[in-house]
Amino acid sequence: MISRLSLRALTLGALLLTSAASALAAPCGTGPFETWLEDFKKEAAAKGIAASAIQAGLSGVTLDKSVLARDHSQKVFNQTFEEFSGRMIPPRLTRGANMLKQYGSVLGRIEQAYGVPGEVLVAIWGLETDFGVNIGKFPTLRSLATLAYDCRRTDLFKAELMDALRIVERGDIAPQDLRGAWAGEIGQTQFMPSSYIKFAVDFDSNGRRDLLRSPPDVLASTANFLAGHGWQRGKDWEPGSANFAAIKEWNKSEVYAKTIAHFATQLSRAP
């Protein structure tokens, strides 16, 4: 049992650690990127990330102005459901049906474990990266460091950069292999690092949660995400359902979520 005196000492220690981490916090965009990065490394160490992961992940990382340009020029998504789904689903339907057959055994085991049907997972997989073909070529750690340095959403991207280092630390993906979309999404269904840490699973049992190369890990992790956001086993996924709400946690765009649901429904009817 911990005495009150010991408890008080532990509390004081926690406060001192918090203060130390705050003192090390790297201010966004106020000086050279290299100075900011050195401060961030100290902050990461203060939060318990291994020095080896920090060294491996952040050595030589530089600012990527093309990422900043993309972030600052984002346009509001304004396609209708008919326009977006009509463009995205037809060219992916045949391959999606083939993927359902190719990974039928794996998808069956995933549905047993998480309650999410294969059609939904394959629809997401197809829409996000053409079934793993187009996962992105941006170095993830560089993109996240760039966005964390910028002052628009620095806290969000600093947290994601910390989690990307944790992915490196636990040995899931080597830093040089961490590549994806310009905003830091990783893998064949485009997980942000925070979701990767929380929901990625080693479904092929090789000791790593590899969302870049392992379709079983990719599909099971996507199912785990949906299950963690309220997916109800055996229920439908059409708009208005509880499972559609889980799909909207995947992507909050109504048009995108409806396209996932519609694609999944078409796959469920494929011969």
Side-chain angles (χ1 to χ4, degrees):
M1 183 178 291
I2 299 175
S3 70
R4 288 184 181 178
L5 183 60
S6 299
L7 190 58
R8 183 180 296 174
L10 287 170
T11 304
L12 178 59
L15 287 171
L16 289 173
L17 283 173
T18 303
S19 299
S22 299
L24 291 169
C28 64
T30 55
F33 175 77
E34 295 74 18
T35 303
W36 177 89
L37 189 62
E38 289 306 312
D39 288 343
F40 178 85
K41 290 177 184 178
K42 294 172 187 173
E43 191 176 348
K47 291 191 174 180
I49 296 174
S52 57
I54 296 169
Q55 175 71 14
L58 297 179
S59 288
V61 167
T62 56
L63 188 75
D64 189 338
K65 291 184 179 177
S66 72
V67 167
L68 291 178
R70 285 170 181 261
D71 188 42
H72 291 185
S73 64
Q74 284 190 87
K75 296 177 181 177
V76 175
F77 184 87
N78 58 9
Q79 291 183 53
T80 66
F81 164 68
E82 289 75 18
E83 290 169 337
F84 185 68
S85 63
R87 179 169 64 86
M88 297 295 287
I89 294 176
R92 293 168 175 82
L93 193 53
T94 297
R95 185 141 191 249
N98 290 337
M99 288 297 186
L100 272 176
K101 293 171 186 172
Q102 181 178 343
Y103 291 98
S105 174
V106 170
L107 289 167
R109 290 191 291 115
I110 290 171
E111 184 169 4
Q112 256 189 338
Y114 300 103
V116 183
E119 292 87 351
V120 174
L121 303 175
V122 169
I124 290 172
W125 193 19
L127 291 172
E128 291 289 352
T129 65
D130 286 327
F131 312 101
V133 173
N134 300 310
I135 63 172
K137 297 181 179 179
F138 285 85
T140 300
L141 292 156
R142 186 185 186 196
S143 291
L144 292 172
T146 295
L147 292 166
Y149 170 74
D150 191 41
C151 287
R152 280 158 54 90
R153 289 166 291 167
T154 188
D155 289 342
L156 168 67
F157 285 107
K158 276 176 68 175
E160 294 294 345
L161 182 54
M162 292 283 184
D163 280 335
L165 290 175
R166 292 183 179 104
I167 292 169
V168 171
E169 181 179 35
R170 71 185 189 183
D172 287 337
I173 304 177
Q176 65 270 22
D177 294 333
L178 266 177
R179 292 178 177 271
W182 66 264
E185 300 95 334
I186 306 165
Q188 296 188 29
T189 53
Q190 301 286 276
F191 272 51
M192 289 301 288
S194 55
S195 291
Y196 202 120
I197 288 293
K198 189 170 183 181
F199 296 107
V201 295
D202 175 21
F203 205 73
D204 61 11
S205 302
N206 72 347
R208 294 183 294 119
R209 288 150 283 209
D210 187 353
L211 304 194
L212 291 179
R213 303 179 188 87
S214 170
D217 288 4
V218 168
L219 296 166
S221 299
T222 306
N224 191 31
F225 178 100
L226 292 171
H229 287 85
W231 188 274
Q232 296 182 13
R233 184 184 296 268
K235 301 292 181 66
D236 70 42
W237 54 76
E238 295 305 321
S241 68
N243 285 341
F244 185 73
I247 291 173
K248 282 198 72 175
E249 290 297 323
W250 179 269
N251 190 307
K252 296 189 186 303
S253 162
E254 183 83 12
V255 167
Y256 197 100
K258 283 177 70 175
T259 300
I260 291 172
H262 188 55
F263 191 5
T265 297
Q266 290 199 39
L267 286 171
S268 71
R269 297 169 181 164

